[in-house]
Amino acid sequence: MDENGVTFMNVIELPAVEVDGFVEQWRERAKLMRDAPGFRDSRLHRAKLPNTRFQLVNVAHWDSVEAWESAIANPAFQTAVRGVPGVVTPNPALYDVVVEYEQS
Amino acid sequence: MDENGVTFMNVIELPAVEVDGFVEQWRERAKLMRDAPGFRDSRLHRAKLPNTRFQLVNVAHWDSVEAWESAIANPAFQTAVRGVPGVVTPNPALYDVVVEYEQS
């Protein structure tokens, strides 16, 4: 396990009118992730303005790439993901923190 | 001041070959933000893979929308932002956390 872990982000494009419904589906789907080994935390962010290009961004932290890969391979999660409507364009990817500033 | 604050995110599209140079510019520019009132933290994330659509994502936290607005109005910051090359497409926006899960 990497002490710093890994950041998973999903930058989601969808019409503003679809956001409420998607958030409710996401809430249930993400519970499958929460219970997986190596999960640390997950926050779904919603844009304050309806004309923001990316209405939703999920920022999650995992112990390792391997833990995240095992979690998404879960058949229950795969089935849930197939229920995402076609109007939604997800952009999921893994990231490392390269610069970090805290309040000085 | 809102106890929960506000999340600022910038989802950045740029060619993978431009990432190293951009990160160094960002590191300096973000120092202007770090010193502003109401700044909490900022993390620049870099995609692990060169074919990820959004190579860089900044996730920052501020005490309030007003604090963030005051910080970006700083003329020194505005000057620095004008130095960003045209090949970079930033997508800056403010977000609220709508769902949050922590390790159970």
Side-chain angles (χ1 to χ4, degrees):
Chain A
M1 165 183 154
D2 179 350
E3 184 66 32
N4 294 318
V6 64
T7 302
F8 167 80
M9 284 197 267
N10 193 0
V11 176
I12 303 167
E13 290 188 89
L14 77 173
V17 297
E18 303 282 344
V19 170
D20 286 339
F22 183 85
V23 168
E24 289 316 306
Q25 290 176 9
W26 188 93
R27 189 189 301 276
E28 294 308 309
R29 202 162 48 234
K31 286 180 184 169
L32 296 169
M33 297 284 98
R34 181 186 58 181
D35 298 334
F39 174 86
R40 292 184 181 181
D41 58 57
S42 182
R43 289 178 186 83
L44 184 63
H45 299 77
R46 180 179 188 159
K48 283 184 167 289
L49 300 176
N51 62 347
T52 292
R53 180 178 176 195
F54 304 116
Q55 283 290 301
L56 296 168
V57 182
N58 173 29
V59 181
H61 299 100
W62 290 80
D63 284 349
S64 65
V65 173
E66 294 71 24
W68 174 78
E69 287 175 339
S70 295
I72 64 165
N74 175 352
F77 180 75
Q78 287 296 323
T79 299
V81 165
R82 280 194 290 273
V84 172
V87 71
V88 176
T89 303
N91 293 281
L94 294 174
Y95 291 83
D96 294 311
V97 174
V98 287
V99 186
E100 180 166 7
Y101 289 126
E102 305 218 351
Q103 191 176 30
S104 51
Chain B
M1 167 184 154
D2 180 349
E3 184 65 32
N4 294 318
V6 63
T7 303
F8 166 79
M9 283 197 267
N10 194 0
V11 176
I12 303 166
E13 290 188 90
L14 77 173
V17 296
E18 303 282 345
V19 170
D20 286 339
F22 183 87
V23 167
E24 289 316 306
Q25 290 177 9
W26 189 93
R27 189 190 302 275
E28 294 308 309
R29 203 161 49 233
K31 285 179 184 170
L32 297 169
M33 298 284 97
R34 180 187 59 180
D35 297 333
F39 173 85
R40 293 184 180 181
D41 58 58
S42 183
R43 288 178 187 82
L44 184 63
H45 299 77
R46 180 179 188 158
K48 282 185 168 287
L49 301 176
N51 62 347
T52 293
R53 181 177 175 195
F54 304 116
Q55 283 291 301
L56 295 169
V57 182
N58 173 28
V59 181
H61 299 99
W62 290 80
D63 284 350
S64 66
V65 172
E66 294 72 22
W68 173 79
E69 286 174 341
S70 296
I72 64 165
N74 176 350
F77 181 74
Q78 287 296 323
T79 299
V81 164
R82 279 194 290 275
V84 172
V87 70
V88 176
T89 302
N91 294 280
L94 294 173
Y95 291 82
D96 295 310
V97 174
V98 288
V99 186
E100 180 166 7
Y101 290 127
E102 304 217 351
Q103 192 175 29
S104 52

